[in-house]
Amino acid sequence: MSWNGRAIRSTIDKSGELVLSLEQVELTEPGDDEVIVRIEATPVNPSDSGILLGPADLSDIREFDSRVTMTVPSERLAAIAGRLGLPMLVGNEGAGTVVAAGKNAQAFIGKRVGMSGGGMYADYRRTDMHNLIVLPEGVEAADGASIFINPLTALGFVETALREGHKALVHTAAASNLGQMLQRICLADGIPLINIVRSTEQEKILRELGATYVLNSKEPDFAARLTDAIEETGATVAFDAIGGGKLGIEIINAMERAAARKPAAYSRYGSTLFKQLYIYGGLDSAPTVLDRGGLGYAWSISGWLLFNYLNTVSPVVLQQLRQRIVDELTTTFASHYTRTIGLADLLDPDVLRALERKATGEKFLIDPRVG
């Protein structure tokens, strides 16, 4: 038996033309440890947009039947040389119902599951049974669609911080779905969290969750308030979703200023208190600015990627994290979507431009069954 359906493909050729297409695909019988899942919900995360749109210029989108094209500027091609000419699968995670299974995975047939593994922007997905989490009874696919990326990232931030000896965190773009999860975790676990946002609307979202520290980076007294909050909480680690610009280093400088307020803390080499900035996102594609003035030498800037992090934790810890997500799926780890679209809608230029904005509070869910 085979399963016929559609799947989104993103391909960039050597000339820099990016083609998004909705292809007809056929899935054959699953292997012994495999299942076939009918996709019923899959989110659009920033990492998905990065594969879907790459570094293309969306100012000139051209439509042709079941595909759209756009151009990647020539100066950006070197950074993506490894994907040129390759049709890329899109969609890191999703949820749906298991419609077929190999001999070792028969227990999954008929179950509604969340899953990871890529290629979720499709009607059907064949995947290894170890990529699945069975959703609790009564939980809809939309509730389980974001069961991996954001929940594990938020829990990973906390576990990383505690493992490294930090007692409080700073987080940017904090009103996102991920940021809201992180705030709920920190409230439940008694961990101080300093949230940085860019608007009063975003501040309100976090205040309603019970956040104590919410700072608007656009306010004129932001630097002073950030320093005060860091002094109060003792925060020495930050997770930055912005990436570009000066915000990340402003946070580290505020940590240094807070440390310098302690008696006898002065040294020409700066404080000895170690400060860590992790950059995990790229909402701002501009260069990351490093201003070392007054920063001293007890600091580090690193990248943080969920998939790299998962390779550092034991199977026991990973299972604990996954179980907590299942137990708190509709509370701590609830995701909120502003719009549900079909697969074909990903070829709509207006939808693509909306995805490119990566606006806080605007999150799309794809349900292939609607079109």
Side-chain angles (χ1 to χ4, degrees):
M1 184 175 177
S2 62
W3 287 263
N4 296 304
R6 305 161 299 161
I8 290 288
R9 296 290 185 269
S10 174
T11 308
I12 303 174
D13 65 24
K14 293 181 179 179
S15 71
E17 182 176 72
L18 186 151
V19 178
L20 290 183
S21 57
L22 189 58
E23 306 285 348
Q24 289 293 323
V25 297
E26 180 179 342
L27 300 182
T28 56
E29 288 283 347
D32 290 349
D33 293 333
E34 292 182 325
V35 299
I36 291 179
V37 180
R38 182 182 64 239
I39 305 295
E40 297 164 357
T42 174
V44 182
N45 294 315
S47 56
D48 300 317
S49 296
I51 294 295
L52 185 73
L53 302 174
D57 180 357
L58 271 64
S59 64
D60 183 27
I61 302 177
R62 301 171 296 280
E63 300 180 74
F64 303 96
D65 297 327
S66 61
R67 61 185 56 201
V68 296
T69 68
M70 59 207 81
T71 301
V72 176
S74 58
E75 63 272 16
R76 301 177 186 175
L77 290 176
I80 56 169
R83 68 167 287 184
L84 297 181
L86 301 177
M88 303 293 290
L89 303 172
V90 190
N92 281 314
E93 61 183 338
T97 301
V98 176
V99 296
K103 68 177 184 179
N104 298 329
Q106 289 292 302
F108 288 104
I109 290 182
K111 300 288 188 182
R112 180 165 282 159
V113 296
M115 56 187 170
S116 62
M120 301 299 169
Y121 291 2
D123 289 309
Y124 295 96
R125 180 71 167 94
R126 185 170 63 190
T127 188
D128 190 283
M129 66 181 184
H130 298 100
N131 294 330
L132 308 180
I133 292 179
V134 176
L135 300 181
E137 194 70 30
V139 171
E140 299 295 327
D143 296 319
S146 296
I147 198 171
F148 284 95
I149 305 299
N150 282 347
L152 282 173
T153 298
L155 288 171
F157 288 171
V158 173
E159 200 275 336
T160 297
L162 296 180
R163 188 202 316 171
E164 295 178 355
H166 305 283
K167 65 178 184 179
L169 293 72
V170 181
H171 185 223
T172 70
S176 65
N177 269 264
L178 168 60
Q180 293 177 51
M181 290 180 190
L182 181 60
Q183 180 58 75
R184 296 188 195 107
I185 293 168
C186 289
L187 283 172
D189 295 0
I191 300 169
L193 174 65
I194 300 171
N195 299 280
I196 297 178
V197 298
R198 291 182 285 186
S199 72
T200 55
E201 292 78 13
Q202 294 167 4
E203 181 176 353
K204 182 180 178 182
I205 291 171
L206 292 163
R207 294 290 186 195
E208 290 177 348
L209 290 179
T212 301
Y213 300 96
V214 188
L215 306 179
N216 187 341
S217 61
K218 300 298 183 182
E219 296 292 336
D221 61 347
F222 168 69
R225 293 182 61 207
L226 178 59
T227 304
D228 291 343
I230 289 172
E231 183 181 18
E232 291 176 22
T233 61
T236 49
V237 62
F239 294 89
D240 178 29
I242 307 300
K246 298 180 178 180
L247 181 57
I249 204 64
E250 286 180 6
I251 296 170
I252 298 297
N253 273 296
M255 291 177 180
E256 178 68 9
R257 290 193 299 271
R261 290 178 176 178
K262 296 181 180 179
Y266 175 76
S267 166
R268 61 181 293 186
Y269 301 112
S271 74
T272 59
L273 182 69
F274 184 75
K275 302 161 287 291
Q276 175 70 54
L277 170 67
Y278 285 113
I279 297 175
Y280 76 93
L283 296 178
D284 185 344
S285 59
T288 303
V289 177
L290 173 58
D291 180 1
R292 290 183 52 210
L295 190 54
Y297 292 90
W299 53 273
S300 177
I301 300 176
S302 306
W304 197 98
L305 181 68
L306 173 62
F307 305 110
N308 293 345
Y309 162 75
L310 292 177
N311 288 330
T312 71
V313 300
S314 70
V316 172
V317 170
L318 179 57
Q319 180 55 36
Q320 290 172 344
L321 299 179
R322 290 175 62 148
Q323 188 59 53
R324 180 172 182 179
I325 294 168
V326 171
D327 293 343
E328 303 174 31
L329 184 58
T330 59
T331 52
T332 304
F333 302 105
S335 290
H336 303 284
Y337 305 98
T338 55
R339 184 173 174 184
T340 299
I341 61 175
L343 279 178
D345 292 322
L346 286 172
L347 304 184
D348 183 329
D350 290 334
V351 170
L352 294 175
R353 293 187 185 101
L355 295 177
E356 185 193 32
R357 286 197 301 268
K358 302 183 183 73
T360 297
E362 184 177 62
K363 191 170 180 68
F364 285 65
L365 183 72
I366 300 169
D367 182 347
R369 297 170 297 177
V370 306

